[in-house]
Amino acid sequence: MTLLQIAFFFLSALALASAILVITRRNAVHSVIWLIVTLFSVGGIFLLLHAEFLFAVQVILYVGGIMVLFLFVVMLVNLDVAVKQAQFSRQWQLALATAIILMAELAYGIYRGHQGFTLAQTSAVPPTIGNTQAVALALYQDYMLPVEIASVLLLVAMVGAVVMAKRKLE
Amino acid sequence: MVPVSHVLALSVILFGLGAAGFIVRRNIITIFMCIELMLNAVNLAFIAFSRYLGDPDGQIFVFFVIVVAAAEAAMGLAIIIAVQRNRQTLSIDDLDSMKL
């Protein structure tokens, strides 16, 4: 077993364990913290898959931005009542069945197709441009219009969030 | 070298956990976190295939997924604050009407 595989299995185990903790913790603050651990582990797997740029985006934007927003909201709203209430809805059998059917279906697909999933061994010579450069070239040449649309989407979301969270609508 | 099927299996399990949590939890903030978990599982699958094909297009898609997730988180959390202010509860069992 190579070092790469050891790192992969360690990060996978960490991601799965903390994902289970996310959906079972009673206190929402604990759930957020465990979700941060999950996102870090998944980011580490991004790094193993040679997606360095997205690893940075994951850490800066997801962990540093979205999760901090979550923490703010969790601490703004009154959770003392919610902690005392029942945590799981009555449909946990349905949830279990849904999750198992979904995973079995996808696992069957992977099992049937995994012979074809060997990694392309094209990188015998190291690529001439780095990952960030490759992503940037694709992003600003082939996907120029989607980038502009995404920026408008973020603007709309920002205005919408301010309007929704305002104390009084006039 | 990690086979792509291993990464896909991890992605499937993470997605299943997110889906199960989405159905089973009652606190709306935790449900929202389960959505983020599912989005991340899908991102992982995209990057695995991007690596497998040796093509950065999958990573571009993940970038856009993250952008949409950021927009969704901002809007969703604003809605949660508004709901909490008007209804004084975050349990989805009590939030069954469209009126604020």
Side-chain angles (χ1 to χ4, degrees):
Chain A
M1 201 188 276
T2 62
L3 193 63
L4 209 62
Q5 279 169 325
I6 293 171
F8 174 76
F9 284 119
F10 174 72
L11 288 172
S12 312
L14 196 60
L16 290 180
S18 47
I20 290 171
L21 287 169
V22 169
I23 63 174
T24 51
R25 288 303 91 186
R26 179 169 280 267
N27 192 330
V29 179
H30 297 174
S31 287
V32 175
I33 301 294
W34 285 114
L35 186 57
I36 289 175
V37 176
T38 311
L39 294 177
F40 260 122
S41 326
V42 173
I45 294 170
F46 286 3
L47 204 54
L48 292 182
L49 291 168
H50 291 268
E52 291 92 356
F53 174 67
L54 284 169
F55 165 72
V57 168
Q58 173 103 348
V59 171
I60 295 170
L61 217 158
Y62 243 114
V63 179
I66 299 179
M67 283 301 116
V68 170
L69 197 62
F70 264 93
L71 268 181
F72 267 125
V73 171
V74 167
M75 290 169 179
L76 272 180
V77 299
N78 180 20
L79 280 174
D80 299 341
V81 186
V83 169
K84 291 189 189 72
Q85 287 171 340
Q87 294 298 303
F88 299 105
S89 54
R90 285 174 295 278
Q91 51 205 8
W92 65 270
Q93 295 103 330
L94 177 68
L96 198 67
T98 310
I100 287 176
I101 290 172
L102 187 72
M103 285 198 256
E105 199 177 343
L106 293 170
Y108 179 70
I110 293 173
Y111 173 73
R112 286 296 299 270
H114 82 286
Q115 303 297 347
F117 288 163
T118 49
L119 275 179
Q121 294 291 348
T122 49
S123 54
V125 275
T128 48
I129 56 173
N131 171 257
T132 308
Q133 199 178 353
V135 170
L137 283 175
L139 205 57
Y140 288 114
Q141 285 178 354
D142 306 339
Y143 295 94
M144 194 66 215
L145 185 63
V147 169
E148 299 299 330
I149 294 172
S151 65
V152 176
L153 176 75
L154 282 175
L155 179 69
V156 170
M158 193 175 74
V159 174
V162 170
V163 170
M164 284 301 295
K166 229 165 50 166
R167 199 156 286 275
K168 196 187 255 179
L169 291 173
E170 61 262 18
Chain B
M1 198 62 80
V2 182
V4 177
S5 50
H6 285 30
V7 186
L8 289 180
L10 173 65
S11 155
V12 164
I13 297 171
L14 277 180
F15 191 91
L17 282 173
F22 180 84
I23 301 175
V24 87
R25 290 303 301 246
R26 280 173 149 170
N27 189 334
I28 198 165
I29 294 179
T30 316
I31 288 174
F32 214 55
M33 279 188 264
C34 290
I35 297 177
E36 300 290 334
L37 201 59
M38 286 193 275
L39 282 171
N40 226 259
V42 173
N43 286 352
L44 191 60
F46 266 121
I47 289 187
F49 277 117
S50 161
R51 172 87 177 119
Y52 160 61
L53 296 169
D55 189 338
D57 279 3
Q59 298 182 24
I60 305 290
F61 213 107
V62 171
F63 187 74
F64 285 117
V65 169
I66 290 177
V67 168
V68 172
E72 175 230 340
M75 273 311 296
L77 291 171
I79 290 173
I80 287 175
I81 290 178
V83 163
Q84 160 78 20
R85 187 180 300 135
N86 289 298
R87 304 285 296 266
Q88 277 79 40
T89 181
L90 285 180
S91 171
I92 51 163
D93 289 349
D94 305 330
L95 299 175
D96 47 5
S97 78
M98 295 284 282
K99 253 172 32 182
L100 276 178

